[in-house]
Amino acid sequence: FIPTNKIVIEVTNPTENSVAEILSKVPSLQMKGVDMIGEKQTISLLGHKAKHTLIMLDGVPLNSAGQDFDLSSIPAEIIANIEIIKNNVQTGSGSMAGIININTKKTDGQFNFHIGQIIGSFGLQKYFLNSSIANAKFYSFLYLAQSSTENDFNFLNQSSSNNNLKNNEKNIKDFNFTFGANLLPFEIEYKCDLQKYDKQFLTPQNIDIYDGSSLAGFTNRQRITFSKALNNFFLNSNLFYFNEKSTYDNTASDWFSEKSHHYLAARGVNTKIAFNDEVFTSNFGINYKREDFEYLSESNPNSNIEALFEENLASFGDMKIRCDFFPLQTNFMLAGRVDKFSSFDD
C-alpha cells in the first residue's frame, strides 16, 4: 500500500484563464510552457515527466499512458475544484507520479447570469457568458466563451535574426453544458464540453522552420453519470465518449514542409461502489476503456498510422480498518489493481 497525499484547491470567482494558470500558483508543482492563452502548458509531479501525471476530468482520464496533456485547454470558469493526488494505486498506468483530477461545476447557485470581457496585452480579447439555475429536483450550468490573442511577444533567440513572433495568433471557442436531475431513484448527470481552436505557430524555437505553421481542430467530451447514496453505501457509474480531431499544417516552410491529420477517440465506463463508516472503509470498482487512434500525413504517406485501437479492462479495490485502543490507534490498509491490455503494435 502506498499512502496518498491529497490536496484540494477550491476555485471560486477565478481570475485565471485556465487550469494551468490556477496550478501555476501551487509551489510544489512544476509547470512547463508559455503562460499565455492558447500556448501549451503541461505539469509534472514529484520530479517526473509530464506524461507520468494522469489528468482526469470529473474522474475520467484525459491523457493516454505515455502522453502529456495540455492543461491550458480547460477554462477556469467551469471548474469547481482541483484534486492533486501524489502516489496513487487505483488508476493504473499513466499515473506513476500522481493524478490531477479536475471537477467541473454543477451550478453557481439557484440562479446566476454573468457576462464578461477581458482585454490584455499582446492583443488579448476574451468574451464569455455563464449562467446556472438549480432547485431541489434539477440543476444546469452553461458556459460560452470566445478568446483571441496575437501573442506577438519578443524573445531572445540567438539562432534567428527574427526575435518577434509575428504569426502566433490563437483563436479559441468554448461551449460547456451541464444538466443534472434527481427525479429517479438515482441521480443522473450529463456534461458536454466542446472546444474549437485555430492556433498559428507552435514554438519560439527554430522560428525560421516553423514560422507560418498552424494547428486547427476541435475536442468533444461527453459523459453521463449515475449515482446513488444509501446509508453508508455509495454507487457511481460514468459513461464517457471523448473525440479529438486536428490538422497540423507547416507547408509554408521551405525547411520542413508537412501537413498531417490526427484523430483520437476514447469511450468507456467506470463503475465504483464505496462503503464508509467509523471503523471500515472500502472502495471497489471496474473500468473499461477503448481508444482509437489515426495519423494521416499528406506529405509523407509512408508514415501513416491507420485505425489502431487499444482496450483496457481493469478492476481495483482498497480497504481500511481503523481500531482505537486508548491511547493507541491501529490502521490496516490494503489496496490493489489488476489491468488487462490489448496494446498498439509498433
Side-chain angles (χ1 to χ4, degrees):
F1 175 81
I2 303 175
T4 59
N5 182 8
K6 182 176 179 180
I7 302 171
V8 179
I9 302 173
E10 298 293 337
V11 181
T12 56
N13 301 320
T15 57
E16 300 84 3
N17 287 304
S18 67
V19 175
E21 290 190 26
I22 296 173
L23 293 177
S24 66
K25 299 178 180 179
V26 181
S28 61
L29 304 180
Q30 182 180 359
M31 304 297 300
K32 183 179 180 181
V34 180
D35 188 12
M36 303 184 79
I37 283 184
E39 302 288 351
K40 182 176 180 179
Q41 290 183 275
T42 60
I43 191 171
S44 61
L45 295 173
L46 304 176
H48 289 270
K49 295 182 178 180
K51 65 182 181 180
H52 294 150
T53 298
L54 181 64
I55 309 299
M56 305 181 79
L57 185 67
D58 296 316
V60 179
L62 293 178
N63 55 326
S64 305
Q67 298 178 7
D68 57 19
F69 181 79
D70 182 8
L71 287 167
S72 69
S73 64
I74 301 180
E77 289 87 352
I78 70 169
I79 302 168
N81 61 67
I82 303 173
E83 299 173 308
I84 304 170
I85 305 171
K86 301 176 183 178
N87 298 328
N88 182 73
V89 73
Q90 288 189 5
T91 52
S93 59
S95 60
M96 181 188 302
I99 299 170
I100 305 293
N101 183 36
I102 303 159
N103 293 308
T104 57
K105 290 181 179 179
K106 295 183 177 182
T107 178
D108 267 339
Q110 290 186 341
F111 179 77
N112 178 70
F113 185 82
H114 184 203
I115 296 177
Q117 179 183 11
I118 298 173
I119 299 175
S121 303
F122 307 110
L124 169 63
Q125 294 188 64
K126 181 175 181 179
Y127 306 90
F128 64 91
L129 175 153
N130 63 56
S131 66
S132 63
I133 186 170
N135 59 28
K137 297 297 183 181
F138 74 93
Y139 55 87
S140 67
F141 177 80
L142 174 67
Y143 173 77
L144 300 170
Q146 177 171 329
S147 306
S148 63
T149 179
E150 295 180 3
N151 279 6
D152 53 347
F153 52 88
N154 293 316
F155 65 97
L156 179 62
N157 187 350
Q158 297 179 354
S159 64
S160 173
S161 59
N162 185 2
N163 291 342
N164 179 253
L165 295 184
K166 296 293 187 181
N167 301 315
N168 195 30
E169 295 181 6
K170 306 292 191 291
N171 294 283
I172 302 171
K173 296 179 180 179
D174 287 292
F175 169 85
N176 306 90
F177 176 71
T178 297
F179 178 81
N182 195 20
L183 304 174
L184 302 172
F186 49 83
E187 181 180 342
I188 183 171
E189 181 179 79
Y190 169 75
K191 292 194 174 188
C192 176
D193 306 318
L194 304 176
Q195 184 178 85
K196 184 178 181 181
Y197 55 87
D198 187 354
K199 304 178 182 181
Q200 294 183 353
F201 201 58
L202 301 179
T203 171
Q205 299 174 352
N206 299 320
I207 186 172
D208 296 324
I209 297 177
Y210 296 104
D211 190 19
S213 64
S214 65
L215 181 69
F218 72 89
T219 60
N220 173 15
R221 305 185 185 113
Q222 302 190 54
R223 50 211 182 274
I224 299 177
T225 302
F226 301 90
S227 58
K228 177 67 176 179
L230 182 63
N231 296 328
N232 294 335
F233 288 92
F234 179 74
L235 175 66
N236 180 273
S237 184
N238 283 312
L239 287 79
F240 63 90
Y241 175 76
F242 295 164
N243 183 18
E244 301 180 14
K245 286 185 178 181
S246 64
T247 297
Y248 172 71
D249 190 345
N250 194 31
T251 52
S253 173
D254 296 328
W255 298 80
F256 190 68
S257 178
E258 180 181 347
K259 187 173 184 179
S260 56
H261 309 276
H262 306 253
Y263 170 78
L264 176 67
R267 70 208 72 177
V269 57
N270 301 329
T271 300
K272 178 180 178 180
I273 185 170
F275 176 83
N276 186 17
D277 67 12
E278 294 182 357
V279 177
F280 181 74
T281 301
S282 65
N283 297 278
F284 295 96
I286 186 169
N287 299 337
Y288 169 77
K289 182 179 181 181
R290 171 177 169 139
E291 289 183 305
D292 293 86
F293 175 79
E294 191 169 60
Y295 169 83
L296 302 176
S297 173
E298 295 185 17
S299 307
N300 183 18
N302 292 329
S303 65
N304 287 353
I305 302 173
E306 299 181 1
L308 287 181
F309 75 92
E310 178 187 56
E311 291 182 299
N312 172 223
L313 179 64
S315 59
F316 64 87
D318 64 70
M319 60 181 180
K320 177 180 178 180
I321 301 175
R322 171 179 171 174
C323 300
D324 293 332
F325 300 99
F326 182 81
L328 302 176
Q329 181 186 97
T330 302
N331 289 287
F332 174 77
M333 295 168 285
L334 182 66
R337 179 181 170 101
V338 177
D339 285 83
K340 182 180 180 181
F341 284 94
S342 61
S343 299
F344 289 136
D345 295 330
D346 293 343

